[in-house]
């Protein structure tokens, strides 16, 4: 299978690329909800982050046909057709859309063997859209779903958009499409089999991987491809968030004992991590580093086998975040910027645009992957994960033995696990994870009581934000990041009855806070003998509802007044 060409374009930058929709493709079929959702997403990005690009998705085409001068659309037809149909409406407000609709006097999209559709769209491209849709009688053969989409877009702009010209310009200049052009030697049957089995498009983090690996450079092609294979291997290992990283490497030199290397990296406080990366030698997997290679590889990974430490848990755990979210947390630390931590913004937040300096691009890309690997090791060692425990999930910090510290270290792990579990079920990972990762990255630690105390201080900062700062949790997180060592609430935390006695409207956080305070008290020498079983079995869970102990509507019993009924002690 030949290598594909990967490019990106906006309606503004598409140049002279023409598309045809083959006979085997289904008719255009987007419904109102799909079109409206796309418009809502575009409008939201335009309103909140007008400088950001909007990634609409990826399309796959064949190479250009020499006879028709067009690329046949293999995948993503519905998406690109919708964007193109939007242009018929948007050109009323931003005339450059005409260049996207038509190229060299012919329609950019050609519907093979669908003459009625083509004639309708040719007429529409040459006239005022409102007059045409009102007065022209449509032929029976015209696909009504295309007409519906045009009407939906037209009505949406008239009803919801005030700055129609700027909104139209934004979509024209900022809507990004990733184009994967397959070579003529590609086995399309194999491609369709892969896509059908997978059932989804390329994920954003896979596109990001291809972008970043493409920035790895060396003048010597053989050296370049070996570097790219090495960094692709590290990326793939880091991406398997529900598996320990040392079990996630493909095709490593069998002489390297990954688990021992990871232990040494942690024990030496990451001073030898670069030396380990230099040891990684991978065969030349040139095609696996492209978007097509990612598709072929899909989800069929051969994981290396190794002798597992009997004290460790099985692989059946769940990470607190998925890989796209983890990438965003890592990039926030790497770039030292305030960035969006929303998965949908992955490709606009982590860009890695090419410059004229290939060497500097390569250094930047490789530095990011080095940092990604470092933080993933930290994440595995110090951040809780969820293990299945019967019908519920048990949050624990992993224990990878790196020394002979024994019971005291186990006790410290338990304490850190409990406070982090409490933070996790009560506070979005979007807020708490970046500060914790920065603390651990800047001060690689053996888990001890200082780590637990720091986590308690972090939680108190969020508690203060809930009480006095209108729940500006992201602002609190950024403040902590700016002074990671000396963290403390902005003022004294005073909790009174107006905060707690709200019945079912009481903030769930305060129940979790009370549970942690009780658990911590029961672990002291004064209480540990009495509550040993409770301490051992206690675990934090995400509870969605608050219930009254004494019911609101008791049968054949006295009804309490609302002040007593909604008291914190009755919840």
């Amino acid at each position: 299978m030949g290598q594909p060409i990967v490019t990106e374009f906006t309606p503004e930058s598409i140049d002279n690329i023409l598309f045809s929709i083959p006979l085997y493709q289904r008719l255009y079929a987007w419904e109102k909800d799909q079109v409206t959702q796309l418009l809502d997403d575009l409008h939201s990005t335009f309103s909140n982050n007008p400088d950001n690009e909007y990634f609409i998705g990826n399309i796959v085409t064949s190479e250009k046909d020499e006879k028709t001068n067009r690329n046949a659309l293999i995948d993503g037809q519905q998406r690109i057709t919708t964007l193109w149909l939007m242009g018929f409406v948007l050109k009323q407000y931003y005339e450059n859309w005409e260049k996207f609709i038509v190229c060299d006097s012919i329609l950019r999209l050609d519907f093979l063997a669908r003459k009625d559709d083509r004639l309708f769209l040719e007429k529409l491209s040459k006239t005022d859209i409102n007059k045409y849709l009102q007065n022209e009688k449509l032929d029976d053969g015209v696909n009504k779903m295309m007409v519906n989409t045009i009407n939906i877009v037209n009505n949406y702009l008239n009803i919801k958009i005030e700055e129609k010209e700027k909104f139209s310009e934004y979509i024209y200049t900022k809507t990004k499409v990733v184009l994967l052009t397959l070579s003529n030697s590609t086995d399309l049957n194999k491609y369709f089999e892969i896509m059908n089995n997978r059932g989804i498009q390329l994920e954003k983090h896979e596109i990001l991987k291809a972008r970043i690996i493409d920035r790895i450079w060396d003048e010597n092609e053989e050296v370049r491809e070996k570097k790219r294979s090495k960094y692709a291997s590290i990326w793939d290992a880091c991406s398997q968030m529900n598996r320990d990283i040392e079990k996630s490497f493909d095709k490593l030199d069998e002489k390297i004992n990954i688990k021992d290397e990871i232990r040494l990296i942690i024990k030496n406080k990451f001073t030898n991590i670069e030396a380990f990366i230099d040891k990684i030698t991978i065969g030349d997997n040139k095609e696996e580093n492209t978007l097509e290679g990612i598709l072929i590889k899909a989800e069929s990974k051969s994981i290396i086998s190794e002798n597992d430490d009997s004290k460790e848990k099985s692989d059946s755990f769940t990470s607190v975040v998925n890989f796209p979210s983890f990438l965003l947390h890592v990039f926030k630390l790497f770039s030292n910027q305030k960035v969006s931590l929303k998965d949908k913004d992955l490709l606009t937040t982590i860009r890695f645009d090419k410059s004229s300096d290939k060497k500097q691009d390569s250094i930047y890309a490789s530095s990011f992957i080095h940092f990604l690997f470092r933080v993933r090791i930290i994440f595995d060692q110090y951040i809780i994960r969820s293990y299945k425990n019967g019908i519920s999930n048990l949050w624990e910090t992993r224990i990878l033995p790196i020394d002979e510290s024994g019971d005291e270290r186990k006790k410290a792990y338990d304490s850190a696990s409990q406070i982090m579990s409490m933070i996790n079920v009560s506070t979005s990972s979007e807020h708490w994870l970046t500060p914790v990762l920065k603390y651990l990255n800047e001060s690689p630690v053996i888990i001890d009581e200082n780590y637990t105390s720091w986590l308690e201080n972090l939680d108190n900062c969020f508690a203060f934000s809930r009480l006095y700062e209108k729940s500006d949790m992201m602002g609190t997180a950024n403040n902590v990041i700016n002074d990671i060592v000396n963290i403390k609430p902005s003022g004294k935390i005073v909790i009174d009855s107006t905060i707690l006695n709200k019945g079912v409207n009481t903030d769930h956080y305060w129940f979790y806070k009370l549970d942690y305070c009780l658990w911590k008290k029961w672990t002291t020498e004064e209480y540990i003998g009495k509550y040993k079983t409770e301490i051992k079995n206690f675990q934090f869970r995400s509870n969605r509802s608050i219930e009254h102990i004494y019911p609101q509507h008791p049968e054949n019993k006295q009804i309490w007044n609302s002040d007593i009924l909604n008291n914190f002690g009755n919840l």
Side-chain angles (χ1 to χ4, degrees), residues 35-52:
V35 178
T36 303
Q37 183 63 59
L38 174 58
L39 289 165
D40 284 342
D41 289 346
L42 285 163
H43 187 214
S44 175
T45 307
F46 166 70
S47 301
N48 299 317
N49 301 289
D51 294 330
N52 285 1

Side-chain angles (χ1 to χ4, degrees), residues 235-250:
W235 180 284
D236 289 342
C238 290
S239 72
Q240 299 181 58
M241 297 300 293
N242 297 332
R243 188 176 179 85
D244 294 325
I245 191 166
E246 71 268 13
K247 299 176 184 177
S248 303
F249 276 94
D250 263 349

Side-chain angles (χ1 to χ4, degrees), residues 210-272:
R211 285 182 183 176
I212 294 178
I213 297 302
D214 185 55
R215 304 300 183 265
I216 304 297
W217 179 256
D218 193 279
E219 301 238 351
N220 184 299
E221 183 178 0
E222 182 180 353
V223 173
R224 179 169 69 243
E225 294 309 323
K226 285 185 177 180
K227 283 184 177 180
R228 288 178 174 178
S229 294
K230 172 189 293 191
Y231 288 119
S233 177
I234 294 172
W235 180 284
D236 289 342
C238 290
S239 72
Q240 299 181 58
M241 297 300 293
N242 297 332
R243 188 176 179 85
D244 294 325
I245 191 166
E246 71 268 13
K247 299 176 184 177
S248 303
F249 276 94
D250 263 349
K251 303 177 182 177
L252 278 186
D253 187 331
E254 293 181 358
K255 297 177 182 178
I256 299 177
N257 187 315
I258 301 294
K259 184 177 288 186
D260 287 347
E261 295 284 354
I262 297 293
R263 284 194 180 102
L264 284 173
I265 288 170
I266 297 168
K267 188 173 184 178
N268 294 326
K269 297 185 177 182
F270 295 87
T271 55
N272 60 329

